[in-house]
Amino acid sequence: MAGSGVKDRCLKYCGICCEKCNCVPSGTYGNKDECPCYRDMKNSKGKSKCP
């Protein structure tokens, strides 16, 4: 299934962001302002690294 890869990647990046920032925004989408570190972490293309 194609969907599981996306979910796994999301969880992997979420884990990286959790560890580095020690903070995860509440809810399943948005609310990134609660965690500036999480919000501001970018990948090499300048997109948000954290889901």
Side-chain angles (χ1 to χ4, degrees):
M1 268 178 15
S4 64
V6 172
K7 185 178 177 199
D8 291 345
R9 195 164 64 229
C10 178
L11 289 172
K12 178 181 153 200
Y13 285 129
C14 183
I16 292 168
C17 295
C18 294
E19 280 181 32
K20 287 200 175 170
C21 301
N22 224 359
C23 176
V24 176
S26 58
T28 53
Y29 184 78
N31 303 325
K32 288 191 178 182
D33 288 337
E34 293 175 12
C35 300
C37 163
Y38 188 100
R39 177 193 67 206
D40 296 339
M41 205 178 295
K42 305 281 192 239
N43 65 19
S44 57
K45 293 178 180 150
K47 301 258 194 237
S48 182
K49 187 179 185 97
C50 308

